[in-house]
Every structure is written in C-alpha cells, then in structure tokens.
Amino acid sequence: MTVNPLLSDWTTPFELPPFSEIEPSHFEKAFEKSMAEARTEIDQIADQADAATFENTVVAMEKSGEVLTKVARTFFNLTGAHTNEALQKIERDLAPKLAKHSSDTLLNAKLYARIATLWDQQETLGLNDEDAKVLERYYKMFQRAGAGLDAGGKTRMADLSQKLATLGTSFSQNVLKDESEYQLVLETEEDRAGLPDFLIASAAEAAKERGHDGKHVITLSRSSIEPFLQFSTNRRLREEAFKAWSARGENGGETDNRAIIKETLELRSERAKLLGFENFAAFKLDDTMAKKPENVRDLLTKVWAPAVKRANEEAEKLGEMAQSLGENHDIEAWDWRFYSEKVRKAEHDLDEAELKPYLQLDKIIEAAFDTATRLFGISFRELDDMPVYHPDVRVFEVLDTDGNHAGLFLGDYFARPSKRSGAWMSAFRSQHKLDGNITPVIVNVMNFSKGAEGEATLLTFDDARTLFHEFGHALHGLLSNVTYPMISGTSVARDFVELPSQLYEHWLSEPEVLSKFAVHYKTAEAMPKALLDKLLAAANFNQGFATVEYTACALLDLDLHLLDDPSSFDPVEFEKTELQKIGMPKAITMRHRIPHFQHVFSGDGYSSGYYSYMWSEVMDADAFGAFEEKGDIFDKETAQKLLDNIYSAGGKPDPEDAYIAFRGRAPKIDALLEKRGLAAA
C-alpha cells in the first residue's frame, strides 16, 4: 500500500511539505482521515465529564486538528498559487465538507456550553492577558457562528455555511478560468507599437509559456496588462485588452459569476438576520475596529469628495494631452493609463520606461530584507535544493538577532496560468508556543511578469510597492511571538491587518533605501539623483485616479452588504446605478468590478471589509511619522516599540490599544489626506 505523504511525518528540511511526493489524489484521503481525527478530538473535549477549565477546553481546542491544519494549509496554498483541474475538482467537492466540519464544531451545544461557562467565570480563572484574549476570541467565534440559536436556527446556519463555501470556491475558479484562458497575441509591428523593451521581453516570455514561441502575448495579469495599457499606441488593442480585463466573471456561460453573487448576498443577508443583525454589513463590522457601517461610510466619504475633485482635474489634463497629440476622442477607461503616462512625462520628466531599468526584482527583494534587518535585527539567507511546489519558488531562512533559526520565508514572484491574480501572504505554518517553539513558514505570492531568459526581471514602482506591502504582511507572520495559534501573526481584526503591510511600504520611498538598491540592471550604477528626485516628486501623481478606483470599490462593497432584500439584485445594474449616484468619473472603473471582486466574493474575507486598506492607511500614514519625528527612519527605540506592540503581538492586544501603545495617541485622518496629496491647500 502506498504511503500518503500528507499523513506521514515530514522529514524534509524544516518540515516543509514534501511537494514532489504529493499527488492531487492524496488530498482526498488526507482530508477524509484528518477531518475524522479532528472530529474525534473535538467530541472528546465536548463530552468529557470534568468541569470546564481553560486548559481542558480552550487549550485542548487549540491543540486539536493539527493534521487537518497541516493538510489544509498545504492544499489551499497550492490551489491559490499553482492549481490544476484535479485540484480544482477536489476544491469544489471539499468546500461544503470543510464548512460542515466547521459548523459541526461551532454549533456543538456541549462545547459551546463549556466555553460560555468559562466566559461567565473569566474573572475567577486567573487568566493572563493572552489567555483572556483567546477565550474572548473563542466565545465570539461560537456566538457569531450561531451557537446560541435554537435547533432550527443552528441547522439553517450550517446549511448557509456550506452553500456559501461552495459559492465562494466557484466564484474564484471562474475568475481564474477567465484570466488564464485570455491572451492577446501581438502578431505584427503595429500590434506592438509603442511598447518598451522590458514589456516586449516579458510578452515574449509569456508567449513562450503558452506555446507561442517567437510571438508576444499580453495576459490579464496586472503586471502584463497595466504596462500594455500605459504604452501601447494601438488604441484598438488597448480597448480590446481592457474590456477583457474588465469583463472577467461576466462573460456568460459557465464562468459567469452574476448568479453566484446574487445568491451569495441573499445567503449572507439571511445569516446576519438569523444572528439578530439588521444586515450583513452590521454583522461583519461588529467584530472590527470600525464597529458600525456608518463609521466606515464616514471615513470613505471624507476621502471620496477630494479624490473625485482631483480625478476630474486629472481627466481634464488627459484630454488636453490627447488634443495636443491630434486625438479628438473622449478619454475612455482604456485611455487613462496611456495619456496619464504622457502627462507624467510632461509634468515631471518621468516615464516608466526610464524608471524600470533601476527596479530589479532581486534588488527590491534585497531592499525589503535589508529594511527588516535594520529595523528588527533579523537576517535572511537563501537556501537551495529545498522542496518547493514550483521551480520559481525561492526559500530563505530567517535568523533572529542571535543568528538562530526563526522561520522560513518563501517567495513566489512570477505570474503563470496556474496562479490566481493578485498578490498575497499566506502561511504553511504559523508561529506558536503550545508545543515548544513552533517557528513560522510564510509565503509571499506575486504575479510579476518574468524577464526573458538570462535577463533581470524589472518592476514598475507600483510592483515594487506591492512587494514591500506583502513583505510587511510576511513580517507580521514571521515576527509573531505569542503562545496560541488563534492569535498568531496576522490573526487580527481585518481593518488592523493592513497596518503592518502598508506601513512597511513607506521605507521603499525613502531616498536612504532607494539610493542603495535602485541600481541599473546592466551597469549596476545607482539611480541618478535627478531621477530619484523626480520619482519622489511625482509620488502623488495620478492620486485622484488611484483613490477613486479604490474608494468606489470600498463604497460599493459596503452598499452591497447593506441591502435589505437582494432577491431582485442584478450586479451589473447595481454597479452602474451606484456609481452614477456617487459621481464616479466616467473614464475610471472600479479597481475590482463586482463580477470579479475576489476580495469580497471568494469567501467572506474582505466582504464588507474592503474599506480596511483605507482604515489601516489612516494609521500607517500617521505611524510612519513616529520615525520621521525622530529624524531617523531606522530609529532603534521606535522600531523596538513597533516590534513589541504591532509586528510581534499578533492578536493579543486590542488593536486601538496596540496602536496607542506604539504611537502614544490615536491616529489622525489628516495624515492620510496629506500622504495622498488630497489635503486642502
């Protein structure tokens, strides 16, 4: 009988998953067996005769299901970063089973009774702050899952969870299929007109990967299509590519997401009302820093008006630029990036083609590592011959201030058809201390366009910022120093989790960092000071556009989940009506249109929570000021406070308390408006 590697002890270096031994078929048996084991462990906790204690209930829950966690993390990292049809079929079959497994736990009356008893007795249990936070998290988790409902309510909640899990999986797979199946093959010189060398090279590499050797292909990966929209002088092809990008999830046929969205909203609304909330947004926000929908709307509205004003001013400049080039058409969504690049060149003498040779992927990775070393004292060394799920994945050992092993960091940087779009951080293993010192294994996944064979991969400045952003999340996982898995690393309130990532972006824009790591990929010469100055001077160029395309998404996400009765809902009509209502500039589209809004519909993650980036940005813009006020962006005392209160603290402290402990006061929105260049003159 063949041994299932997922159910065996992993003897690989650092106990990484033995990827080369794992076949898709192994997951079916591994999930079946590990779910059964976890169910037995949970039932034993619930059914024990001894009175509930923190140790025999909460700690026991934290230790249960270890094999299931290991299998699930391996599986879902693969389905996001390197999937195939076999894995996708298993994912579809598995979604309702895992949801049922979760419901069977969270709706277990005996288990809930034990946790509720501990919650009522918490003042007499002698808990430390971390114990108390974990107990609070368990109590809220059971409450929000419906553990306090009657039998009929519990049954319906379980049904809703399974249906929503299935819908989220289908939504995500539909978007991936639309993305991976589209390719714009550039056949002629006219098709390639205006494209800089770096984009020609990456398009040739994309063509080669898709069996079009000798040709050039633009994909729907953001790192491919955005520069195409920036530089292509072929307006017909810009329009074709943009419309394909914009229409993901809305093309009719089996990958169309509109019915999935409607049903998802109906089920979410029902779930919230079962729990006594007016709507899903009220339910979701009750467990966040924002607390209420009106607080979210208040923040977004304060930013929306100045952003639209700025975007309309930007649109006028684009129209003037088009006319100066003899173009008399209106500025459309597929024109914005093209003419914006020309305006930037005119106003700041700066263009992406001039900048990009100085932004090598390897050097930006090095910059991210060096920043972490200077702030927190950790270091990184690359390891060869490690088990990885794709040849492009790189593995780095993370060493603490004494040079001891502190974790592993995996970097998966390049776009491919088997990977969903976007960029994210995930964990194969989270840090905790329940069974000794368990070190984390963290992965960053990106979608950069790979350079031609033997050539450096070059990034846009936005790409470089994304790398720093995701590495900020990675540090939140790598530097975690808590006892319990429940509150490890990024297990914090959704509108606080973006603080460590967005704050980390600030260091990329500092001359002290750029002057060292922004070096030409051919000559190794540092970016000229004149170019660096132009880059920093143009930091808020096109900020109206950037703020509008994001904030529109956040506003519509909120409005989607405030709907009282989504039974007659049409996603496309809703989007059109709501954007008109808020005064969306006609040449700008949402950064993520509703039919492919994966943050919101590929599971519950950011549903009613896309505002979180801006909520956290209020903090990050203000937080970096702590370093600036010291006159040293690597000030040791400030970095130590940042480490102690935010990067290493996981979900142990209350988010507001954590921020104030670091900064000495609550954040101010003025810092955000100033950072984006939207503050009133």
Side-chain angles (χ1 to χ4, degrees), residues 222-336:
R222 193 173 286 274
S223 288
S224 176
I225 191 169
E226 283 198 340
F228 180 77
L229 294 170
Q230 255 180 310
F231 294 109
S232 174
T233 56
N234 189 320
R235 190 168 187 254
R236 176 184 61 81
L237 290 184
R238 288 205 313 269
E239 179 178 0
E240 179 185 328
F242 182 87
K243 286 183 173 178
W245 194 33
S246 183
R248 289 167 292 157
E250 184 193 358
N251 290 308
E254 61 179 19
T255 63
D256 196 288
N257 276 329
R258 283 173 284 191
I260 288 174
I261 293 165
K262 177 176 175 293
E263 187 175 1
T264 297
L265 292 174
E266 289 175 330
L267 299 183
R268 284 177 178 170
S269 177
E270 182 182 353
R271 179 180 166 196
K273 289 173 180 175
L274 270 173
L275 293 169
F277 291 90
E278 187 177 352
N279 48 58
F280 185 79
F283 161 70
K284 197 70 188 292
L285 294 169
D286 185 60
D287 195 32
T288 65
M289 292 182 75
K291 302 299 182 191
K292 296 178 180 179
E294 49 265 39
N295 294 335
V296 173
R297 191 178 299 284
D298 182 56
L299 169 66
L300 297 175
T301 303
K302 282 177 180 174
V303 176
W304 180 252
V308 169
K309 180 174 182 291
R310 175 65 55 81
N312 286 331
E313 292 168 358
E314 291 167 358
E316 284 183 25
K317 288 185 179 180
L318 301 190
E320 290 167 4
M321 174 59 73
Q323 287 185 353
S324 74
L325 297 172
E327 304 285 350
N328 296 315
H329 55 74
D330 289 342
I331 299 296
E332 302 287 355
W334 47 90
D335 297 317
W336 190 290

Side-chain angles (χ1 to χ4, degrees), residues 553-561 597 600 606-611:
C553 293
L555 283 165
L556 264 65
D557 168 39
L558 182 66
D559 288 338
L560 282 167
H561 294 102
F597 204 165
V600 172
Y606 280 84
S607 53
S608 301
Y610 195 66
Y611 76 92

Side-chain angles (χ1 to χ4, degrees), residues 85-110:
E85 288 186 8
L87 287 175
Q88 288 183 320
K89 181 183 184 306
I90 295 168
E91 188 179 18
R92 291 192 295 272
D93 294 341
L94 186 63
K97 294 176 183 177
L98 281 174
K100 182 180 186 305
H101 176 82
S102 178
S103 294
D104 287 348
T105 300
L106 296 172
L107 300 176
N108 184 310
K110 291 181 181 178

Side-chain angles (χ1 to χ4, degrees), residues 665-678:
R665 57 166 174 74
K668 301 174 182 177
I669 191 175
D670 306 30
L672 176 143
L673 294 172
E674 187 176 334
K675 172 190 167 187
R676 286 183 173 251
L678 300 175

Side-chain angles (χ1 to χ4, degrees), residues 368-428:
F369 288 174
D370 184 71
T371 299
T373 299
R374 295 182 68 182
L375 285 171
F376 306 123
I378 58 174
S379 56
F380 303 81
R381 66 179 177 205
E382 187 159 11
L383 304 175
D384 297 323
D385 301 321
M386 291 289 107
V388 290
Y389 56 85
H390 189 279
D392 285 341
V393 177
R394 299 169 65 181
V395 181
F396 301 86
E397 184 178 14
V398 186
L399 305 171
D400 66 17
T401 52
D402 296 321
N404 299 316
H405 176 80
L408 286 185
F409 172 69
L410 280 61
D412 180 1
Y413 297 106
F414 300 123
R416 53 180 172 266
S418 62
K419 182 190 287 188
R420 67 176 170 88
S421 62
W424 64 93
M425 166 270 190
S426 187
F428 284 96

Side-chain angles (χ1 to χ4, degrees), residues 626-644:
F627 287 91
E628 293 176 316
E629 289 159 16
K630 292 279 188 171
D632 180 2
I633 61 169
F634 294 104
D635 178 68
K636 290 191 182 304
E637 181 186 355
T638 309
Q640 189 64 48
K641 288 171 69 176
L642 182 62
L643 175 64
D644 293 343

